[in-house]
Amino acid sequence: MEPQIQKKIKKIENRRCIAAILSTVFMGAGQIANGQFIKGFLFIIFNAFVIINSIPYFIRSFQGLVTLGETPMKDHSLFFMVYGIIALLLLLVILAIYLFNIRDAYKNGKLLDNGQKPASFYISLKRIIEGGYPYIVLSPGLIVITAITILPMIFSMLIAFTNYDLYHSPPKHILDWVGIKNFYKVLTLGSWSKTFRNIFGWTVIWSILSTVSTFGLGGFLAILLNNPRIKFRKIIRTLLILPWAIPAFVSILIWRGMLNTNFGIINKLLVQLFNINNIPWLYEVFWARVALILVNLWLGFPYAMILITGILQSIPGDLYEAAIVDGASGWQKFRNITLPLLLYSMAPLLIMTFAYNFNNFNIIYLLNDGGPAVFGWQGGAGGTDILISWIFKLTFQKLKYNYASAISIIIFIIIAGFSIYNFRRTRSFQEEEMLQ
């Protein structure tokens, strides 16, 4: 009799596996086997009326995503691509529900194996509502983010792997998948590679100089104005914030006029004061880059000054009082108290500012439209163009959507990799290590 009892017990203990297998074969079957009839029938209805009926839609959408159409002027490759992405996102949602169905069957089968009774449908529903309340509240926002952010992002990334440009525009032409050919051309092909290297180098230099200069001047002024011995500090601080109060595009356009080689007030003042020739601020690459750094400094230092002033005023006064008791000099207090705490708090801001300046399109476009032009550079690139402004020209002026998308992906990889590496290295979000 003992082997039969053990066999029966073993059979009972396998309910978790049987239920999981049944739900894998057909949604809801495992729940029915576990005695959860209402839940099982809901899964069966979902399987029968949603999944099975949508199979033709998914097949048609994925075929369109693979082929991007077959007949010019009838099939539109871009629409096929969008439909394919939507189908892919919907498939992920269905797959998540399908996996939940298997996990639920296995979990409740395990309860039966242990001699426990699975929760009723009402209790299960109550648990889902209680445990999933944050997700239920966030779901409308997540749907909107998916529609306006994730979908366009995937679409633009896929463009990088097609031949979508002026000469292959749908619906007159059917797009083709070209793999990493666009990346290969941008990075290795003659003049395109040279253009990319030069613009990428200038983008890095621009990002570093613009970040260091604004935080350097802003930090110097913030520390200076934080000294209680300086009179009229509030008035001086207010005056210094004024450049930030003016809309940036207005300031940039004013600076564009002031830097005009023949009629700008800057050259007129320099000629009167130093008796020098007119400086071609916007017509030579070197001077155009200098002008960009100076105008960006004018626009950015008030913001840095305000941030650093806030950090300075948040440093506890007890630290300085203890340092005075220990006989520390002013320089020692600054070097051992102010500077470490300042740099620690500024690290994330510096990283974010660097990333912002890496894609600071407005000042490049409004001050000089990325000019002046440089002979031999491709895609309409100019001497002050950074990657993001070059992408703009490739997209709206040269209609090289494939190259623009490929460069966008390269920028994303650089910025994401740089930010992740620096955040981990600076340990700026680990408060317990703040004073180490």
Side-chain angles (χ1 to χ4, degrees), residues 273-329:
L273 293 174
F274 303 104
N275 193 25
I276 60 175
N277 294 326
N278 286 340
I279 297 176
W281 291 106
L282 304 179
Y283 301 108
E284 285 190 6
V285 174
F286 173 77
W287 289 112
R289 291 178 175 179
V290 172
L292 273 173
I293 297 293
L294 293 176
V295 174
N296 184 73
L297 179 61
W298 164 264
L299 294 172
F301 86 86
Y303 174 70
M305 186 186 72
I306 293 171
L307 286 176
I308 296 172
T309 299
I311 297 171
L312 289 173
Q313 292 178 354
S314 67
I315 297 176
D318 297 346
L319 297 175
Y320 293 108
E321 292 174 3
I324 292 172
V325 172
D326 292 339
S329 63

Side-chain angles (χ1 to χ4, degrees), residues 133-350:
Y133 179 75
Y135 304 102
I136 295 172
V137 173
L138 289 173
S139 57
L142 292 175
I143 293 172
V144 173
I145 289 173
T146 302
I148 66 174
T149 302
I150 296 178
L151 177 61
M153 186 184 298
I154 297 174
F155 175 78
S156 62
M157 291 176 71
L158 291 181
I159 291 294
F161 301 94
T162 69
N163 60 344
Y164 186 23
D165 59 17
L166 175 63
Y167 305 104
H168 301 87
S169 296
K172 186 177 181 181
H173 301 280
I174 297 296
L175 297 182
D176 293 321
W177 294 107
V178 296
I180 59 171
K181 192 175 179 180
N182 295 322
F183 295 89
Y184 178 79
K185 286 184 176 179
V186 168
L187 296 175
T188 63
L189 187 64
S191 56
W192 280 98
S193 172
K194 178 185 175 183
T195 306
F196 177 80
R197 288 198 306 271
N198 283 304
I199 293 181
F200 177 72
W202 162 239
T203 303
V204 174
I205 294 171
W206 151 258
S207 303
I208 294 174
L209 289 179
S210 54
T211 303
V212 171
S213 60
T214 52
F215 273 84
L217 181 60
F220 172 76
L221 293 173
I223 293 170
L224 192 66
L225 294 175
N226 200 47
N227 191 333
R229 289 180 296 180
I230 295 181
K231 296 182 179 179
F232 310 114
R233 288 187 298 160
K234 293 182 179 178
I235 297 175
I236 297 173
R237 194 177 286 140
T238 303
L239 292 174
L240 290 174
I241 292 173
L242 286 179
W244 193 45
I246 302 172
F249 75 95
V250 174
S251 296
I252 295 170
L253 293 177
I254 291 173
W255 273 104
R256 182 171 181 162
M258 292 170 63
L259 291 169
N260 185 281
T261 302
N262 298 317
F263 308 105
I265 187 66
I266 301 296
N267 272 343
K268 289 187 179 297
L269 288 174
L270 290 175
V271 170
Q272 290 178 2
L273 293 174
F274 303 104
N275 193 25
I276 60 175
N277 294 326
N278 286 340
I279 297 176
W281 291 106
L282 304 179
Y283 301 108
E284 285 190 6
V285 174
F286 173 77
W287 289 112
R289 291 178 175 179
V290 172
L292 273 173
I293 297 293
L294 293 176
V295 174
N296 184 73
L297 179 61
W298 164 264
L299 294 172
F301 86 86
Y303 174 70
M305 186 186 72
I306 293 171
L307 286 176
I308 296 172
T309 299
I311 297 171
L312 289 173
Q313 292 178 354
S314 67
I315 297 176
D318 297 346
L319 297 175
Y320 293 108
E321 292 174 3
I324 292 172
V325 172
D326 292 339
S329 63
W331 168 249
Q332 288 174 323
K333 287 188 291 184
F334 174 77
R335 183 174 178 275
N336 297 316
I337 298 175
T338 306
L339 192 59
L341 293 175
L342 198 59
L343 290 176
Y344 181 85
S345 300
M346 284 173 53
L349 301 174
L350 289 170

